[in-house]
Each structure stands twice: as C-alpha cells, then as structure tokens.
Amino acid sequence: MVDFLLQLNPVLQTLLATCFTWGMTAAGAALVFVQREIRAKYLDAMLGFAAGVMIAASFWSLLAPGIEMAEQLGQKPWLTAAIGFMAGGLFMRLIDYILPHLHLGMDMTQREGMQTSWQRSTLLVLAITLHNIPEGLAVGVAFGAAAAELPSATLGGAIALAIGIGLQNFPEGTAVSMPLRREGLSRKTGFLYGQLSGAVEPLAGVLGALFIMGMQGILPFALCFAAGAMIFVVVEELIPESQRNPDNIDLVTVATLVGFTTMMILDVALG
C-alpha cells in the first residue's frame, strides 16, 4: 500500500485518502438502511470516540510534527505553533459565524450562522459538513508535508491520519442520517444527506495539498493551523453534542479515551 502511494503525486495521494474518509462517512450513513434509529447512548458514545480520535490526531499527526518541523527549518517553534494553532481556531470560528447550520438535538430557534430560510435537514447536514472541512484540510496538509521529505513528516503518518479520520467519520455519517430518518425523511434521502456531509473532504484536502506544495516554509504553520481547526470542532461541537445526556457522560468519556488511544496507536505504529 505504502509503495503504491509513494509512486503517486501528493495531490493524488490526498484525493485517494480523502475519498476513503468520505467513503467511511457514507458507510456510517448507510446504517439507516438496516435500522430506523440508534439508541442515544450509542450515538453519544460514537461522537465521543470521534472526539478522542480528533484530539489525538491534532497532536500526534499535526501539532507535534509542526513544532518539530519549525525547529528543523530554523523557525521559533513555540511562535509558529501558537500563531498557526490560534489561526486555525479563528478560521473555524469565522466559518461557524457565517455558515448557516443547526446542531443535533436543537430546534430551529437555536440555528447558528447567517439567517436563512433553508430547511432543518439542510442545516443539520451543514453542521456536520463544518466538521469535515478541517478534517479534509488536515489530510491534505499531512500528505503535502510528507512530500517535503522532512524527518518530522512521513507518508506513514499521513496514512495513519487518513485512517483515523475515516474511523471517526463513520459515526458522523450515522449522526446525520439517523436523526433525519426519525424526522420522517426516507432512508434514501437520509443516506444521501449523511454521505453528502463528507463530500467536502476531498475538496478541502486537495486544496490544502496544492496550497502547501513547494512552500516548505509554511508547512509548520499549516500543520498547526489544521490542528487548531480540529480542536475547535471538538470543543465547540463534538464534546457538547456527545454529553447532552447526563446519564451517558461516563460512557462518552470512556469512548473518548478509546478514540484517543486508537488514533495514538495508529500514528505511533505507522508514523
């Protein structure tokens, strides 16, 4: 697998990797064909697992390599990391402020972003799509950084990140399709909307890879930027959504630890 990817252009590597992560979103959304709904505690646990994966990926696959790379390039590691990380978070805050969306479990009066007449189902899909922008961007940056052939960024690490993102995309697809099915939409429509939320990842990934290719000096900043964007999503959306039911908090906490451990193993083993 690695030998095959080594022969490809980094942009094509990114496209294949993000198509995999999109496919995992579709696989999670496809659960709507076999059952009408999923128990709330299981959905909360899956979101907790996704949060754990994203937290681990933000550090092991993005922030730590970015700091090490900044040092290798003669930059001030703490300054590059701080600016990049905060810029990523602020970028996501800007998108969160502009893009109309609605989080799971909320009514239409609690929608966020610009005012619009879009339907509830569309706003729910956009909320998950918001998650997937930094995920696709992170994969693209990771593959672009690996192409720079610096010791701190490896193809194995980029592959580990893509696998981890794919694993946590499965529950995100389910988190869209199941609520839409409960609201009366058909299974087919629920699936189409669920997988559509992951369609932004190949676009974000390819744009990220194209942006940093040949611009070695901004690679550390780009890695830290992606980390900040992912942590924003975890803290602003995934964790609050997973812990909305007080009875499930212990289960969600364990699932988050499992997600973190899974991503850490992937990165250490493959990176």
Side-chain angles (χ1 to χ4, degrees):
M1 176 66 174
V2 175
D3 291 338
F4 169 72
L5 288 175
L6 281 171
Q7 301 173 22
L8 302 178
N9 180 280
V11 175
L12 186 53
Q13 292 173 349
T14 300
L15 180 61
L16 291 174
T18 49
C19 282
F20 163 74
T21 61
W22 179 14
M24 290 297 290
T25 305
L31 288 182
V32 76
F33 290 117
V34 297
Q35 56 190 99
R36 184 179 179 84
E37 60 181 296
I38 187 170
R39 293 179 65 181
K41 71 175 184 178
Y42 295 136
L43 184 58
D44 290 347
M46 288 195 297
L47 291 174
F49 176 86
V53 168
M54 290 184 69
I55 293 170
S58 297
F59 177 75
W60 294 99
S61 299
L62 299 170
L63 194 58
I67 292 172
E68 186 178 346
M69 191 180 294
E71 190 170 9
Q72 292 167 355
L73 294 175
Q75 302 174 5
K76 292 183 178 179
W78 62 269
L79 184 61
T80 299
I83 294 175
F85 187 83
M86 289 302 299
L90 291 173
F91 172 74
M92 287 307 300
R93 177 65 186 97
L94 178 62
I95 295 180
D96 186 68
Y97 178 77
I98 295 174
L99 183 69
H101 61 283
L102 179 68
H103 297 302
L104 296 172
M106 294 185 175
D107 57 48
M108 288 293 284
T109 61
Q110 297 173 295
R111 60 190 176 191
E112 300 179 23
M114 298 177 63
Q115 292 298 315
T116 178
S117 59
W118 292 346
Q119 295 181 349
R120 176 182 174 85
S121 57
T122 302
L123 296 175
L124 286 170
V125 172
L126 287 175
I128 302 297
T129 301
L130 188 64
H131 296 178
N132 292 333
I133 292 174
E135 294 167 11
L137 178 65
V139 173
V141 169
F143 277 97
E149 298 182 349
L150 293 173
S152 52
T154 66
L155 182 59
I159 293 172
L161 176 61
I163 293 173
I165 295 296
L167 289 176
Q168 66 93 38
N169 273 1
F170 186 91
E172 287 191 355
T174 305
V176 176
S177 62
M178 289 295 182
L180 293 179
R181 175 61 177 158
R182 284 200 303 270
E183 292 187 11
L185 275 69
S186 69
R187 286 186 172 90
K188 182 179 179 180
T189 302
F191 168 75
L192 289 175
Y193 280 168
Q195 64 82 31
L196 186 62
S197 65
V200 70
E201 291 194 7
L203 177 61
V206 168
L207 288 177
L210 284 172
F211 181 71
I212 67 169
M213 283 181 62
M215 303 176 67
Q216 196 175 89
I218 69 164
L219 282 173
F221 173 85
L223 287 166
C224 297
F225 180 96
M230 288 180 64
I231 290 296
F232 177 92
V233 169
V234 171
V235 176
E236 205 267 345
E237 299 186 25
L238 285 181
I239 290 178
E241 288 174 12
S242 66
Q243 298 196 352
R244 202 160 278 147
N245 187 337
D247 295 335
N248 299 336
I249 289 180
D250 289 340
L251 175 63
V252 170
T253 301
V254 172
T256 303
L257 293 175
V258 171
F260 185 98
T261 303
T262 300
M263 185 63 227
M264 180 175 62
I265 291 172
L266 281 171
D267 193 271
V268 174
L270 297 178

